Amino acid sequence: MTVAEQIYAIAKTLPKDQASEILAFAEFIRAKHLSANQPINTVDYQMSWTELVHSLAGTWSTDFPTLEEIRAESG
């Protein structure tokens, strides 16, 4: 009996909510391994550090400095 068949044999004896937990866990494991095998740099567009800071300014907090304030501090 394969592992998949063993999992199925157990899951079909469980109540629906418990079988759904097994399904959710299996999907989590699959997603974890899929993302672990993806290349780190999959984005075609590369943003400069300045563009990144500017795009994020104000998103974490209302007092996050603007790009101009960051530039003024760094000279």
Side-chain angles (χ1 to χ4, degrees), residues 2-52:
T2 68
V3 173
E5 291 169 335
Q6 291 173 337
I7 294 169
Y8 175 67
I10 292 170
K12 70 181 182 178
T13 66
L14 297 173
K16 186 176 181 176
D17 61 325
Q18 292 175 0
S20 293
E21 286 184 51
I22 292 173
L23 176 60
F25 183 68
E27 290 171 339
F28 165 76
I29 294 294
R30 179 178 55 188
K32 180 175 129 180
H33 288 282
L34 284 176
S35 62
N37 293 326
Q38 302 258 331
I40 292 172
N41 191 4
T42 59
V43 178
D44 291 334
Y45 174 73
Q46 293 297 317
M47 210 183 271
S48 72
W49 176 251
T50 305
E51 290 171 317
L52 174 65

